[in-house]
Amino acid sequence: PLTDWNRTWYTANPDLTQCFQNTVLVWVPCVYLWLLAPFYCLHLYCHDSGRIHMSCLCTAKMVRLSHRIWPLSQEIQQHMVFLLSPIIRSMTVILALCIIQLERIRGCRSSVFLFLFWVLAVVCSLVPLRAKIQLAMDEGIASDIVRYLAFFSYFSIQLAQLFLCCFADQPPEGKTVLEKNPCPVKDASFLSKILFWWFTGLVVKGYRTPLAAEDLWTLREEDTSNKIISELQEDWTAECAKLQKQEKALASGAALGSRLPDQAQLLRKLQKEQSSGFFLFRTLVRKFGPYFLTGTLCIIFHDAFMFAIPQVLSLLLGFMRDEDAPLWKGYFYATLMFLLSCLQSLFNHQYMYTCFTVGMRVKTAVMGLVYRKSLVINSAARRTCTVGEIVNLVSADTQKLMDFVVYFNAVWLAPIEIVLCLFFLWQHLGPSALAGITTVILIFPLNGIIAKKRSKLQVKEIQMKFMDGRIRLMNEILNGIKILKFYAWEKAFLEQVLGYREKELKALKKSQILYSISIASFNSSSFLVRIAFAMFGVYVMQDDRNVLDAQKVFVSMALINILKTPLSQLPFAISTTMQAVVSLKRLGKYLCSEELKVDNVSKTPLEDVVIENGTFGWSAEGPPCLKRINVRVPRGSLVAVVGHVGSGKSSLLSAMLGETEKRSGCVTVKGSVAYVPQQAWIQNATVQDNILFGREKLKTWYHRVLEACALLPDLDILPAGDATEIGEKGLNLSGGQKQRVSLARAVYRKADVYLLDDPLSAVDAHVGQHIFDKVFGPKGVLRDKTRILVTHGMSFLPQADLILVLVDGEITESGSYQELLGRHGAFADFIHTFANTERKESVPEDLGKLTEVDKANTGRVSRKMAFDLISDCVNLFGSETINKYLIKAVRLAMYKKYFKTIGLAIIIPIVFLYAFQQGASLAYNYWLSMWADDPIVNGTQIDTDLKLTVFGALGFVQGIAIFGTTVAISICGIIASRQLHMDLLMNVLRSPMSFFECTPSGNLLNRFAKEIDAIDCMVPDGLKMMLSYVFKLMEVCIIVLMATPFAAVIILPLAFLYAFVQSFYVATSCQLRRLEAVSRSPIYTHFNETVQGASVIRAFGEQSRFILQANDRVDFNQTSYFPRFVATRWLAVNLEFVGNGVVLAAAILSVMGKSTLSPGIVGLAVSHSLQVTGILSWIVRSWTDVENNIVSVERVNEYADTAKEASWSVDGSSLPLAWPQKGTIEFMDYGLQYRKGLELALKGITLHINEREKVGIVGRTGAGKSSLALGIFRILEAAKGKIFIDGVNIADIGLHDLRSRITIIPQDPVLFSGSLRMNLDPFDTYTDEEVWNSLELAHLKTFVSNLPDKLNHECSEGGENLSLGQRQLVCLARALLRKTKILVLDEATAAVDLETDTLIQSTIRTQFEDCTVLTIAHRLNTIMDYTRVIVMDRGHISEMDSPANLITQRGQFYRMCREARLV
């Protein structure tokens, strides 16, 4: 017979019938191969990867197989079936040989198809193998030696084939890739791929040495931006065309459309957004859907295995109860459970790997599409979204799409899983299964309410109000730190920040307590307790005959455990899907927005620039910005465009570039164009890269351009010359330098037409003249080119060939300078207005025209030092200190620091609390197993009420303990973060000025925002999770050891293996996360730059180069993102095998101890061991989170060791309260340097300033004028010599004692957000009357008294709701309020109009008559009536006397006065 159950199942020594062994077991693998071979061959035919050489591996496979045909021929016997089987086998082997050959020819390196065939073959041969061995042992091998040898050799060849299939063959000919560091997944065999062993190399490398970017693999071709976007772009263009057709169809009823009511118009707009999102989704599905479906298939298999495990557990517990059951069944169930667990792990991680890969590709695709769109979007569409919003599309929205890919399947799978769980629970417990679901339904709303309240607390109370307030204040403190130090106001602002912080922590504490309630009600263990209590309670109360045995209890518990995942995933999956829908709409809307029309500007071989009858607008609707424009620009001419602000000058250039919407007329431009925008657009690259802008460097031409654009003196100042890296948005360049770099970029181009939008506005007058002469003028380098120059500089107009006068978007006049002046029209008015302003304009900071010698020396002293300082610090702190953090593993010291901040007195009770919580859980589980083992008398169990009560009580105690531990850890976290924030704040405020000059404020703000936030929330959350799972693991181990003490022999080695694997992972994972974070910001920086400079990029025609750069940046980021998610899979697969080992050990040992163990304790041990895999992966995940976030403690603590200023006050100081009474200042051989090792910025200054003396300090840039002020305030400490004020050495007193007794009116009027009164008197030292008095003297009384809130008027950030002049007067009012005997004026009037300047000067003369006044003068006319003038030159005093005497001496001061036209 084919089957015989008495022989196979109901026996102590099971076996299959001979017929079954010789037919089914032989035919199954053969049928698999023959049925699927045609499809596989077709697949190979369609996917040719090149021919593989005859390698050792291939030869071994062929030889082994050909050997196999011999033993098969030996097996042929008389019986028909026995004759057929070897023939089928032989044919199958020949087919396998052919397939191996075909794979070699088509370049298939590792065969899944054959691997599965050999696995099937080996598994099917195991039963005959056992039978043969049994027979040989019973009868002896000699009886039929040929048959035995044939079978054993055949089996060993099968094993060998399976072993050989675990390796991949060499690459095909000509396919040896020249990649620097190719991804090993290409060379991996099928087995290596499913177990992620190909990743081990990187993990080992990361463990041994810190990973750097060059250690990461290059992306596989199918993951690169180029490959993904080039294919997707075509699909998307086709979809866009369809969408436009739809719109045209709608618009064809335009006559109808014009009469559509507003609601219908709105409906159409919404419909368009919906459909654009849907079209984008469809495009993405078409591209990535098929690969995603393979993942979906994996998750379906995973679910099948997941639900099979409780069924097998039920069978195992049934076996434990059945005393007569043979032992082999127990071992069979145990092994089956182990295999199912392993398969479940494999399929789950293949699914996750597929999802993350698809997510990564979707991110690349969307980023690429958005980037390309941002280069062609028109101005109307561009105005509807800010730069921040566009960057948000590529950061936040792509992330939401990635989350959607991972969680999408849960939307439809979770409900199916919940229904299946209920179905199986119903089978075990009947209708009482519904009680469990009712509990869940009741818990959910409670959780929803808590979540709502938490989000309200977080969003409205913490994050929005207090945290934002604190960060905003910190931002202002960092921006105005110089003022804080000058005025000694640090303490006042320190208290303000701490006030915000306390409120923030109070709200955080409330939120954390709510979270603890939520965890206690919905945490995994307490969740199980509630459902189990409800189900079992209803079940036993329903009927006395309902008894709880081990099978019912532990199978139900296993099912409830499964139920937990879909229940927690479903709400998250739905919200993720909803967010993804919104993101798709936003992306679709942006990607479908209007583009610039190619025909806006046409190229022509005729005149260089022609606009005929042009009308232009910034959008299709609304009034035009330019009307009736007719312009003809002859080749090689210089055209000046003038007009008042807002008359349409820039719009005219935009029309020539095709940036505006052309309503009528035509624009033609000949040849290439170079464009200089009004606001210089500078890339975050070197000066040289900014100028060359993608072109080859021609040395002589490059040097000529630098010279013409007056950049050579600047390059001398920059630390690395033209190789200096320019910060984001030109951070480390002045406005004039940025504008000149922007100009040099255009000049270097050698274009045919130059469009110059007021490039001289940001440069000093003499530099402007130099540039005009050398670049645009009749003798400049561009003299043969067509130049269209928008300008406000009157002096250049006489040299223009043609002047266009714009008024309200129309050209009212055009002609040469003389012609226009003669007409007395708009042009003459314009000249009149601007000529006045130009006369008012200051003599530039560099005081007149520089001689060649001066040019060489400009700024060599102080600015050179400042730049050296900056470059040194950039090396130290730059680019968020990549290397520093990369190289250092997270040190143990940080944990010590963190726990020390909390204090041992709190930590020890917490550990005991955790132990108590887990003890309660253990007791509750043990009680359940004892209940399950309770004997059944007359079909019932006794004392069920008592058992149920104790069961419920233990569960309740556990819930309370969970609440206690989570609250305790939250409070510890708050204690630590309060202290760490306090330390950070003190360290930053006590740092010297040099620290702020070289540390980007972004880095510091990052510490106060992101890092403190991580210490507030992430570190405690990670610790909570880690501790709860570590204790849970201990509980599982204790339960397994209680059941089977012998398990210790297996658990201990597994624990070591686990620790070993985990230590490898954590080291690599932290480094990969940092590398990924570091490589992410350049994408957004580049994006930001591109969006802002899109018009420049288009004008220069550099789109393709920028697209390549964007691709490179995205790919570089993905090179670290890809191994990061594979690392998680590698760890999870390996760990879950460790966990499955615990399941196997618990089950096998339970079977071995069947005679001594009860079903209850076995059920407890096995069902708990099933949780081990989940627990292990959570421990590692939370441990990695803690490791990654504890870095924040390191980063916050980093500034503890930097240099600090002298103490703010000196204890026991005998300084009189009224000091300084006279205001005398004496410098004795005083020297000052910006940094040790640099030359002195002030050299041996000896000087005595008498009381009430008015001293002016003048000199060229970098002569050391401001250094004197910095020395008096001890912003920089003396390198040698001393300064005495009223006979007191200022080095001997506290900084606040010094700075609060002398006053400065600084160059930049800085105001802080807060009331006007706070800005004048942050310590509330003065009465309102005194404050009003100072405002009156500062000419602000009328302005302030007209404000609704008067003194409590809120100043916005930086005082932006006051004009510049008003801010300057507020600074004057501060000085008047303090009324100290010494006043330093770092003359800021360069930024103020003439009227305010006159007010300030007259107030100073009258109000500070009895004070010593030092003025660092930029305008010489302000100090002509001073008692003395000091002329500084390269750190020395070169001249010193009264202004009149100095003029008669005809020295340096006289030359300066002459340049300023004062003599």
Side-chain angles (χ1 to χ4, degrees):
L2 189 65
T3 52
D4 180 357
W5 286 107
N6 290 325
R7 187 177 169 183
T8 306
W9 191 250
Y10 305 109
T11 172
N13 188 13
D15 202 357
L16 292 166
T17 62
Q18 200 64 33
C19 179
F20 191 92
Q21 286 184 38
N22 285 317
T23 54
V24 177
L25 292 185
V26 174
W27 296 349
V28 164
C30 300
V31 168
Y32 159 81
L33 196 72
W34 283 97
L35 271 180
L36 297 181
F39 300 104
Y40 184 58
C41 291
L42 185 69
H43 167 78
L44 285 176
Y45 179 74
C46 296
H47 295 81
D48 183 12
S49 305
R51 196 186 183 90
I52 297 176
H53 268 305
M54 213 37 194
S55 61
C56 303
L57 186 68
C58 198
T59 314
K61 286 179 186 175
M62 304 290 282
V63 170
R64 286 274 173 201
L65 271 187
S66 45
H67 278 174
R68 197 180 150 182
I69 297 168
W70 169 76
L72 294 177
S73 56
Q74 300 297 314
E75 279 187 46
I76 296 173
Q77 269 188 2
Q78 63 288 356
H79 198 286
M80 187 59 201
V81 165
F82 297 111
L83 184 70
L84 204 60
S85 289
I87 292 171
I88 291 174
R89 271 185 188 161
S90 303
M91 300 288 287
T92 308
V93 168
I94 292 165
L95 178 63
L97 263 172
C98 296
I99 289 174
I100 290 173
Q101 266 300 77
L102 184 63
E103 283 177 343
R104 187 178 72 79
I105 292 163
R106 305 303 286 178
C108 175
R109 301 175 60 188
S110 173
S111 175
V112 186
F113 181 62
L114 285 180
F115 179 80
L116 294 176
F117 167 68
W118 294 122
V119 168
L120 260 178
V122 169
V123 169
C124 289
S125 300
L126 286 174
V127 176
L129 178 73
R130 177 184 168 276
K132 291 273 189 296
I133 292 169
Q134 193 75 44
L135 202 65
M137 284 166 73
D138 294 346
E139 296 176 4
I141 201 162
S143 60
D144 195 352
I145 193 157
V146 175
R147 290 268 312 283
Y148 284 125
L149 278 177
F151 181 81
F152 289 136
S153 59
Y154 150 63
F155 183 74
S156 61
I157 286 167
Q158 273 183 331
L159 272 180
Q161 280 293 346
L162 181 59
F163 176 71
L164 290 174
C165 264
C166 294
F167 300 96
D169 215 327
Q170 61 187 35
E173 299 168 34
K175 289 273 177 175
T176 40
V177 189
L178 300 169
E179 286 172 17
K180 198 173 71 176
N181 194 359
C183 182
V185 71
K186 295 175 182 172
D187 303 328
S189 64
F190 170 66
L191 190 67
S192 174
K193 278 177 186 166
I194 59 170
L195 295 170
F196 298 99
W197 285 344
W198 56 270
F199 187 77
T200 311
L202 191 72
V203 179
V204 173
K205 196 173 199 176
Y207 181 73
R208 285 187 183 148
T209 56
L211 291 175
E214 51 272 13
D215 295 327
L216 302 176
W217 308 309
T218 46
L219 277 183
R220 298 174 296 177
E221 195 197 352
E222 58 268 32
D223 293 333
T224 56
S225 302
N226 195 22
K227 175 87 173 153
I228 291 171
I229 299 163
S230 57
E231 291 174 7
L232 194 76
Q233 187 93 35
E234 290 173 24
D235 289 356
W236 178 241
T237 315
E239 290 290 347
C240 280
K242 278 185 203 166
L243 192 67
Q244 279 164 356
K245 258 189 198 167
Q246 268 189 21
E247 272 181 43
K248 274 179 190 163
L250 279 168
S252 61
L256 176 99
S258 57
R259 289 196 299 277
L260 275 177
D262 290 349
Q263 288 168 324
Q265 294 275 14
L266 186 71
L267 208 68
R268 247 172 70 177
K269 193 179 168 195
L270 283 172
Q271 195 183 348
K272 185 188 168 186
E273 277 178 32
Q274 291 264 349
S275 53
S276 59
F278 170 70
F279 277 125
L280 177 63
F281 181 65
R282 199 162 71 181
T283 312
L284 292 172
V285 167
R286 235 182 249 144
K287 177 86 180 78
F288 306 113
Y291 183 56
F292 181 71
L293 281 176
T294 59
T296 307
L297 205 61
C298 289
I299 198 75
I300 291 168
F301 277 117
H302 160 268
D303 274 19
F305 294 130
M306 178 173 75
F307 280 109
I309 291 169
Q311 307 308 318
V312 179
L313 175 65
S314 174
L315 293 170
L316 179 68
L317 293 174
F319 157 81
M320 292 301 291
R321 208 176 49 200
D322 181 359
E323 288 170 11
D324 303 330
L327 271 182
W328 71 266
K329 285 190 182 177
Y331 293 128
F332 173 69
Y333 294 142
T335 313
L336 188 59
M337 240 161 117
F338 172 70
L339 286 173
L340 288 171
S341 299
C342 289
L343 285 170
Q344 181 193 347
S345 298
L346 287 180
F347 278 106
N348 183 32
H349 295 299
Q350 277 309 310
Y351 166 68
M352 294 305 281
Y353 173 74
T354 309
C355 282
F356 277 107
T357 308
V358 171
M360 179 176 92
R361 289 175 187 171
V362 166
K363 180 182 171 183
T364 301
V366 172
M367 277 183 164
L369 288 175
V370 172
Y371 187 80
R372 281 155 179 73
K373 185 71 179 184
S374 62
L375 286 171
V376 293
I377 190 169
N378 72 7
S379 53
R382 171 68 186 79
R383 283 175 184 194
T384 58
C385 43
T386 62
V387 179
E389 281 169 355
I390 297 173
V391 173
N392 226 351
L393 288 176
V394 292
S395 55
D397 290 314
T398 49
Q399 188 57 50
K400 281 173 186 159
L401 288 186
M402 285 171 79
D403 294 344
F404 168 70
V405 170
V406 177
Y407 292 104
F408 166 67
N409 278 326
V411 174
W412 62 273
L413 259 181
I416 296 173
E417 287 170 357
I418 293 168
V419 169
L420 279 172
C421 277
L422 282 177
F423 169 72
F424 289 124
L425 282 167
W426 188 288
Q427 275 190 334
H428 283 277
L429 300 173
S432 37
L434 294 174
I437 278 297
T438 314
T439 317
V440 175
I441 291 166
L442 291 174
I443 291 173
F444 259 119
L446 169 73
N447 252 20
I449 293 163
I450 292 172
K452 205 169 180 183
K453 199 145 177 56
R454 269 195 84 202
S455 76
K456 189 176 165 190
L457 263 176
Q458 277 185 323
V459 174
K460 289 189 183 158
E461 271 191 55
I462 308 181
Q463 284 171 336
M464 289 318 207
K465 265 170 65 187
F466 306 132
M467 188 177 171
D468 283 1
R470 174 172 65 83
I471 300 303
R472 192 173 59 241
L473 187 61
M474 269 324 299
N475 188 23
E476 291 189 57
I477 287 173
L478 295 174
N479 289 337
I481 189 75
K482 200 168 187 174
I483 302 300
L484 252 63
K485 293 202 174 295
F486 275 139
Y487 287 134
W489 280 358
E490 291 103 328
K491 277 184 184 163
F493 280 88
L494 178 79
E495 280 161 21
Q496 269 188 311
V497 173
L498 293 178
Y500 273 121
R501 181 73 180 144
E502 278 311 306
K503 288 175 189 162
E504 185 186 342
L505 290 177
K506 198 174 165 188
L508 183 68
K509 197 185 281 182
K510 277 188 204 166
S511 164
Q512 289 290 7
I513 289 169
L514 282 173
Y515 178 56
S516 304
I517 296 171
S518 166
I519 286 261
S521 66
F522 210 73
N523 166 288
S524 55
S525 34
S526 47
F527 174 76
L528 278 169
V529 173
R530 269 167 197 70
I531 295 189
F533 180 67
M535 282 189 187
F536 298 155
V538 170
Y539 182 69
V540 294
M541 297 303 223
Q542 218 177 5
D543 188 351
D544 283 350
R545 302 220 162 264
N546 283 353
V547 291
L548 280 180
D549 57 14
Q551 231 169 334
K552 283 195 176 69
V553 169
F554 293 108
V555 175
S556 300
M557 292 298 268
L559 284 164
I560 294 169
N561 228 338
I562 290 175
L563 182 66
K564 190 181 73 211
T565 311
L567 276 176
S568 58
Q569 265 189 0
L570 189 60
F572 189 68
I574 291 170
S575 93
T576 308
T577 306
M578 299 307 288
Q579 286 176 341
V581 169
V582 173
S583 291
L584 277 167
K585 265 192 226 164
R586 279 159 50 97
L587 285 162
K589 181 186 166 189
Y590 179 73
L591 292 173
C592 288
S593 50
E594 301 251 324
E595 297 183 3
L596 287 168
K597 296 193 180 86
V598 187
D599 62 348
N600 273 350
V601 176
S602 51
K603 297 289 177 189
T604 172
L606 303 169
E607 283 176 279
D608 276 18
V609 179
V610 180
I611 303 179
E612 286 176 353
N613 204 14
T615 305
F616 305 92
W618 283 110
S619 59
E621 293 86 40
C625 58
L626 294 168
K627 326 181 261 292
R628 295 185 284 282
I629 301 291
N630 284 293
V631 177
R632 276 185 183 281
V633 179
R635 187 168 180 183
S637 55
L638 169 60
V639 178
V641 181
V642 295
H644 290 287
V645 175
S647 59
K649 301 184 295 296
S650 298
S651 303
L652 182 65
L653 294 193
S654 296
M656 292 172 183
L657 287 168
E659 297 284 320
T660 50
E661 193 74 32
K662 185 174 70 176
R663 306 236 180 123
S664 66
C666 71
V667 184
T668 48
V669 175
K670 181 188 171 188
S672 57
V673 176
Y675 170 56
V676 180
Q678 194 167 7
Q679 256 191 320
W681 175 71
I682 301 291
Q683 278 185 279
N684 183 2
T686 63
V687 178
Q688 180 174 305
D689 290 345
N690 266 288
I691 295 171
L692 299 182
F693 206 53
R695 290 293 164 103
E696 215 178 309
K697 184 176 176 181
L698 306 168
K699 266 193 180 166
T700 46
W701 174 240
Y702 177 69
H703 195 271
R704 258 186 83 188
V705 171
L706 290 180
E707 200 274 326
C709 295
L711 276 168
L712 291 173
D714 300 287
L715 294 185
D716 291 342
I717 296 171
L718 296 174
D722 65 358
T724 306
E725 185 87 18
I726 303 177
E728 216 174 307
K729 295 181 188 167
L731 197 72
N732 43 351
L733 296 184
S734 70
Q737 286 169 328
K738 280 193 277 196
Q739 195 61 278
R740 296 204 298 279
V741 169
S742 173
L743 180 63
R745 174 199 298 146
V747 176
Y748 188 80
R749 262 291 139 135
K750 294 187 176 171
D752 300 319
V753 177
Y754 281 83
L755 303 178
L756 310 153
D757 196 348
D758 206 3
L760 304 178
S761 55
V763 298
D764 295 337
H766 66 286
V767 180
Q769 191 60 53
H770 166 92
I771 289 174
F772 185 83
D773 295 341
K774 298 271 184 170
V775 181
F776 320 130
K779 293 179 184 165
V781 289
L782 300 182
R783 56 186 175 273
D784 303 330
K785 307 286 185 184
T786 306
R787 295 140 290 159
I788 298 172
L789 171 71
V790 170
T791 183
H792 289 136
M794 297 303 105
S795 53
F796 312 134
L797 296 181
Q799 300 178 62
D801 301 318
L802 175 67
I803 297 172
L804 303 176
V805 183
L806 275 166
V807 178
D808 295 334
E810 288 193 59
I811 297 177
T812 53
E813 297 177 86
S814 65
S816 69
Y817 185 72
Q818 293 306 329
E819 282 172 26
L820 293 177
L821 267 187
R823 290 184 200 164
H824 301 296
F827 180 70
D829 297 346
F830 179 77
I831 289 285
H832 181 68
T833 319
F834 273 97
N836 284 353
T837 348
E838 270 204 342
R839 271 203 290 283
K840 266 192 212 169
E841 271 173 16
S842 62
V843 175
E845 197 183 310
D846 287 11
L847 300 163
K849 213 163 190 176
L850 300 183
T851 62
E852 286 304 314
V853 181
D854 286 333
K855 250 188 208 175
N857 295 326
T858 303
R860 280 294 170 83
V861 191
S862 61
R863 281 186 83 183
K864 179 88 172 110
M865 290 168 189
F867 256 117
D868 282 355
L869 185 66
I870 286 173
S871 62
D872 269 36
C873 295
V874 165
N875 295 342
L876 229 164
F877 296 102
S879 67
E880 275 293 334
T881 351
I882 300 169
N883 294 339
K884 189 169 164 192
Y885 290 128
L886 212 61
I887 306 306
K888 278 192 219 160
V890 180
R891 295 172 311 205
L892 203 64
M894 285 308 120
Y895 287 101
K896 278 187 191 160
K897 165 92 182 163
Y898 186 74
F899 292 124
K900 199 174 164 188
T901 316
I902 297 170
L904 256 183
I906 304 174
I907 292 171
I908 292 168
I910 284 180
V911 174
F912 279 115
L913 204 56
Y914 263 107
F916 173 70
Q917 171 202 320
Q918 228 50 55
S921 171
L922 183 66
Y924 141 86
N925 280 307
Y926 193 62
W927 182 261
L928 197 56
S929 79
M930 282 165 61
W931 186 354
D933 285 336
D934 217 32
I936 299 164
V937 183
N938 299 328
T940 62
Q941 286 173 320
I942 51 167
D943 296 336
T944 42
D945 295 357
L946 172 72
K947 284 169 188 156
L948 192 62
T949 313
V950 173
F951 178 56
L954 284 169
F956 180 71
V957 168
Q958 188 194 352
I960 295 292
I962 288 173
F963 174 71
T965 50
T966 47
V967 168
I969 285 207
S970 301
I971 288 168
C972 285
I974 287 170
I975 291 170
S977 69
R978 177 186 283 127
Q979 189 56 48
L980 288 166
H981 177 266
M982 180 73 186
D983 293 348
L984 172 67
L985 190 58
M986 285 305 293
N987 283 328
V988 168
L989 288 180
R990 296 259 345 270
S991 296
M993 233 10 254
S994 57
F995 168 80
F996 296 98
E997 282 165 0
C998 68
T999 309
S1001 64
N1003 281 17
L1004 288 170
L1005 263 188
N1006 198 11
R1007 302 287 186 274
F1008 281 100
K1010 189 166 165 276
E1011 311 300 348
I1012 289 289
D1013 186 46
I1015 295 169
D1016 281 349
C1017 307
M1018 313 290 262
V1019 176
D1021 285 356
L1023 284 171
K1024 262 180 232 171
M1025 196 183 281
M1026 190 172 85
L1027 282 168
S1028 64
Y1029 281 111
V1030 165
F1031 278 96
K1032 180 80 185 155
L1033 185 65
M1034 285 160 71
E1035 181 197 342
V1036 172
C1037 291
I1038 290 167
I1039 286 172
V1040 173
L1041 291 172
M1042 270 166 56
T1044 53
F1046 193 65
V1049 179
I1050 292 156
I1051 285 176
L1052 276 172
L1054 285 179
F1056 281 116
L1057 180 64
Y1058 168 70
F1060 179 67
V1061 170
Q1062 190 239 25
S1063 62
F1064 271 85
Y1065 166 76
V1066 170
T1068 307
S1069 166
C1070 287
Q1071 292 160 35
L1072 285 172
R1073 188 178 284 208
R1074 284 178 194 148
L1075 280 170
E1076 200 261 330
V1078 162
S1079 64
R1080 199 185 316 129
S1081 44
I1083 297 178
Y1084 304 138
T1085 309
H1086 185 248
F1087 232 98
N1088 211 331
E1089 272 180 5
T1090 305
V1091 172
Q1092 286 173 332
S1095 56
V1096 179
I1097 297 168
R1098 283 195 291 266
F1100 284 90
E1102 289 287 329
Q1103 293 95 317
S1104 53
R1105 182 168 67 87
F1106 273 78
I1107 286 171
L1108 279 176
Q1109 280 182 7
N1111 284 355
D1112 290 344
R1113 280 176 163 82
V1114 171
D1115 287 352
F1116 182 59
N1117 175 244
Q1118 302 291 37
T1119 49
S1120 47
Y1121 177 75
F1122 177 67
R1124 208 183 113 190
F1125 74 74
V1126 179
T1128 319
R1129 305 276 71 82
W1130 173 87
L1131 172 86
V1133 165
N1134 288 301
L1135 279 196
E1136 288 186 14
F1137 276 98
V1138 172
N1140 296 335
V1142 177
V1143 175
L1144 184 67
I1148 294 270
L1149 291 168
S1150 301
V1151 173
M1152 286 165 75
K1154 183 185 175 190
S1155 51
T1156 54
L1157 293 175
S1158 65
I1161 198 82
V1162 171
L1164 185 65
V1166 177
S1167 67
H1168 268 69
S1169 67
L1170 282 171
Q1171 295 174 34
V1172 168
T1173 53
I1175 293 170
L1176 290 181
S1177 58
W1178 273 110
I1179 288 176
V1180 174
R1181 196 180 298 182
S1182 49
W1183 168 242
T1184 312
D1185 277 351
V1186 172
E1187 280 278 75
N1188 281 321
N1189 287 308
I1190 205 83
V1191 176
S1192 297
V1193 177
E1194 183 179 7
R1195 293 167 78 129
V1196 160
N1197 204 38
E1198 179 192 7
Y1199 300 127
D1201 307 325
T1202 52
K1204 300 285 173 284
E1205 284 188 312
S1207 59
W1208 284 343
S1209 54
V1210 175
D1211 294 334
S1213 166
S1214 57
L1215 199 67
L1217 271 175
W1219 178 88
Q1221 282 168 324
K1222 296 177 187 164
T1224 61
I1225 306 172
E1226 189 176 357
F1227 288 81
M1228 291 178 68
D1229 191 29
Y1230 182 76
L1232 176 144
Q1233 63 190 153
Y1234 278 83
R1235 198 160 44 93
K1236 279 198 173 103
L1238 281 181
E1239 61 172 314
L1240 296 180
L1242 292 176
K1243 301 164 189 165
I1245 302 283
T1246 301
L1247 166 68
H1248 190 283
I1249 296 169
N1250 302 316
E1251 60 182 294
R1252 300 181 63 179
E1253 195 172 2
K1254 309 288 181 280
V1255 179
I1257 304 167
V1258 298
R1260 302 206 181 278
T1261 306
K1265 305 187 295 291
S1266 299
S1267 305
L1268 273 176
L1270 298 179
I1272 293 171
F1273 281 85
R1274 281 176 65 194
I1275 298 291
L1276 292 172
E1277 297 288 357
K1280 62 170 190 170
K1282 295 170 185 165
I1283 299 178
F1284 291 94
I1285 294 180
D1286 277 12
V1288 175
N1289 183 352
I1290 63 168
D1292 299 338
I1293 58 177
L1295 288 180
H1296 279 189
D1297 296 334
L1298 166 69
R1299 291 170 185 171
S1300 59
R1301 312 285 182 89
I1302 56 180
T1303 304
I1304 187 166
I1305 299 180
Q1307 196 164 7
D1308 303 314
V1310 175
L1311 265 61
F1312 300 94
S1313 60
S1315 69
L1316 192 59
R1317 196 186 196 301
M1318 189 281 298
N1319 269 293
L1320 292 166
D1321 174 29
F1323 291 101
D1324 282 333
T1325 322
Y1326 304 98
T1327 62
D1328 276 6
E1329 197 181 341
E1330 288 172 306
V1331 173
W1332 276 112
N1333 195 24
S1334 72
L1335 286 172
E1336 186 174 8
L1337 293 169
H1339 310 280
L1340 276 172
K1341 187 174 183 179
T1342 46
F1343 167 70
V1344 177
S1345 50
N1346 288 333
L1347 293 170
D1349 298 330
K1350 309 225 172 350
L1351 285 177
N1352 294 323
H1353 172 71
E1354 274 295 313
C1355 298
S1356 63
E1357 195 170 337
E1360 280 169 7
N1361 54 354
L1362 299 179
S1363 74
L1364 194 64
Q1366 286 164 339
R1367 278 181 284 189
Q1368 198 69 58
L1369 293 173
V1370 170
C1371 291
L1372 176 63
R1374 279 180 193 157
L1376 289 160
L1377 197 56
R1378 285 164 75 117
K1379 199 68 191 290
T1380 56
K1381 282 287 176 188
I1382 294 174
L1383 172 71
V1384 178
L1385 230 88
D1386 193 351
E1387 196 200 43
T1389 46
V1392 175
D1393 60 272
L1394 223 53
E1395 202 179 342
T1396 317
D1397 188 15
T1398 319
L1399 288 177
I1400 291 175
Q1401 295 302 335
S1402 66
T1403 307
I1404 287 166
R1405 281 179 180 72
T1406 53
Q1407 295 304 313
F1408 293 98
E1409 202 178 350
D1410 57 344
C1411 305
T1412 307
V1413 178
L1414 273 81
T1415 300
I1416 295 164
H1418 300 284
R1419 296 180 175 178
L1420 299 185
N1421 57 349
T1422 55
I1423 54 162
M1424 293 310 261
D1425 58 346
Y1426 276 24
T1427 45
R1428 253 197 298 178
V1429 170
I1430 297 170
V1431 182
M1432 299 291 297
D1433 184 29
R1434 299 190 203 176
H1436 295 287
I1437 295 175
S1438 68
E1439 296 175 13
M1440 178 167 62
D1441 210 329
S1442 68
N1445 291 353
L1446 286 175
I1447 287 172
T1448 53
Q1449 287 169 20
R1450 297 201 161 225
Q1452 202 174 339
F1453 183 67
Y1454 168 74
R1455 285 202 301 278
M1456 289 167 130
C1457 290
R1458 199 178 62 202
E1459 284 169 1
R1461 301 194 180 97
L1462 292 173
V1463 290

